[in-house]
């Protein structure tokens, strides 16, 4: 998940630049790199969300000595946020994939 933040910031900078210039980059190779990078990071964030959810489930089901209720609730919230992050990242990937043939 540490790669998602720099990738998103760099995409935000490219979007801001394209808004100031009043046009999208018209090179298909640039958009192809964006689509492939977004797809790979979307897949990696899904993997992170699934691993977080499985560890949380394991800690909840083992016993309360390993995971007090306050800590387990935080783990469950982080797993839910990771899945929401994956869903939004995947939606962005699909939008970029839809935009690719229009160039």
């Amino acid at each position: 998940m540490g790669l998602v933040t720099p990738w998103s910031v760099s995409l935000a900078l490219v979007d801001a630049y394209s808004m100031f210039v009043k046009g999208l980059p018209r090179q298909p190779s640039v958009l192809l790199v964006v689509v492939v990078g977004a797809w790979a990071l979307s897949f990696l964030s899904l993997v992170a969300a699934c691993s977080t959810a499985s560890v949380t489930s394991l800690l909840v089901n083992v016993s309360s000595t390993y995971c007090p209720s306050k800590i387990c609730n935080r783990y469950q919230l982080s797993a839910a946020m990771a899945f929401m992050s994956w869903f939004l990242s995947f939606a962005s990937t699909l939008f970029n994939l839809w935009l690719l043939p229009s160039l």
Side-chain angles (χ1 to χ4, degrees), residues 26-51:
R26 294 290 179 194
Q27 299 151 343
S29 61
V30 172
L31 194 55
L32 183 63
V33 167
V34 168
V35 168
V36 169
W39 179 80
L41 288 177
S42 174
F43 180 72
L44 289 175
S45 67
L46 175 63
V47 169
C50 289
S51 66

Side-chain angles (χ1 to χ4, degrees), residues 5 11 14 17 20-21 24 26-27 31 38 49 52 64 70-72 74 88 90 93:
T5 302
L11 286 182
V14 169
Y17 174 75
F20 286 127
V21 174
L24 292 171
R26 294 290 179 194
Q27 299 151 343
L31 194 55
T52 302
S64 64
K70 185 175 181 180
I71 301 295
C72 277
R74 288 181 184 174
L88 294 174
F90 187 67
T93 300

Side-chain angles (χ1 to χ4, degrees), residues 6-98:
W7 179 259
S8 298
V9 168
S10 64
L11 286 182
L13 290 175
V14 169
D15 287 342
Y17 174 75
S18 68
M19 286 178 64
F20 286 127
V21 174
K22 304 277 191 220
L24 292 171
R26 294 290 179 194
Q27 299 151 343
S29 61
V30 172
L31 194 55
L32 183 63
V33 167
V34 168
V35 168
V36 169
W39 179 80
L41 288 177
S42 174
F43 180 72
L44 289 175
S45 67
L46 175 63
V47 169
C50 289
S51 66
T52 302
S54 67
V55 167
T56 302
S57 175
L58 178 72
L59 286 175
V60 167
N61 290 333
V62 169
S63 71
S64 64
T65 59
Y66 291 113
C67 186
S69 65
K70 185 175 181 180
I71 301 295
C72 277
N73 288 339
R74 288 181 184 174
Y75 285 151
Q76 290 171 342
L77 181 63
S78 72
M81 291 297 146
F83 276 108
M84 190 173 81
S85 170
W86 166 75
F87 179 74
L88 294 174
S89 172
F90 187 67
S92 172
T93 300
L94 289 179
F95 178 73
N96 286 332
L97 190 62
W98 173 69

